Amino acid sequence: MAHDFPLFGDPSGGSPHGPSRAAVLTAVEARLLTVFGEPSGRAAVTFLGADRVEVLRFGPDAEGLVRYATLGMSAAPMADPTAAVVDQVRGPRAELVLTVRGGRDGVLRALATFAAAPQVEGLVVAPGGSLDLGAPLWDGAPFTSVLAAEPGGLVEDVELDDPADPVRFLPLLPMTPNEAGWKRVHGAAALRERWLQHGTDLRDPERRGVRLD
């Protein structure tokens, strides 16, 4: 049964007008455990100039699906790098979720890299956007990038105390280089329509790229 986890400002850390980093991540992890159960593994990565990011592995479940979820990206709101003033409380917050049939633990560092991008590169990750690793997502993977899908279908948002925005869980859909290039020209909606037309199993770690002609 899903629960909401409203948070309140913690004077021991963070802004007095918003939740602390620890409070946000505690609520996010609680939501993930409510949906997926206890993790079957976890790893932590720290990048220069960024806070620690964890990746939790859940499963495999009865269908052989393994979920990988980031934990740490939502600790601070994402901010437009061109903004003159950065709001430490308001702004979109997100974590990333990748589903792979059979699992591919080699993807852990790629996910941590994507989750650290808002801190390291000033990116605002949103549905319809893509993240490109520039290398296979794991050894031998036919994918080098991911498409961020709409949240809410797999894991419900975690509501935070006003004025902080809720934490959204963005599913990641792996893309081949050809699919990523086609998406840049035609848009995310058009690529998703192609996948749908061809019955593409986006959880298959060895799938071929969809026909784009």
Side-chain angles (χ1 to χ4, degrees), residues 55-126:
V55 180
L56 279 58
R57 181 186 65 206
F58 299 92
D61 63 12
E63 298 179 61
L65 299 177
V66 177
R67 321 274 188 186
Y68 298 96
T70 63
L71 181 63
M73 181 178 174
S74 62
M78 293 179 281
D80 183 346
T82 64
V85 179
V86 176
D87 194 320
Q88 299 297 321
V89 178
R90 299 174 181 84
R93 297 175 188 252
E95 296 289 357
L96 310 174
V97 181
L98 176 69
T99 302
V100 181
R101 178 169 285 105
R104 291 293 187 277
D105 285 356
V107 78
L108 296 174
R109 186 164 185 86
L111 289 178
T113 299
F114 293 151
Q119 293 185 66
V120 176
E121 302 178 37
L123 295 181
V124 177
V125 182

Side-chain angles (χ1 to χ4, degrees), residues 144-190:
T144 57
S145 60
V146 293
L147 173 67
E150 293 289 337
L154 189 61
V155 185
E156 294 182 4
D157 297 351
V158 171
E159 298 294 335
L160 305 180
D161 188 40
D162 286 337
D165 289 20
V167 178
R168 308 168 80 192
F169 297 85
L170 304 180
L172 298 183
L173 310 177
M175 297 186 290
T176 66
N178 285 344
E179 290 171 340
W182 198 85
K183 179 259 178 186
R184 283 192 291 272
V185 175
H186 299 280

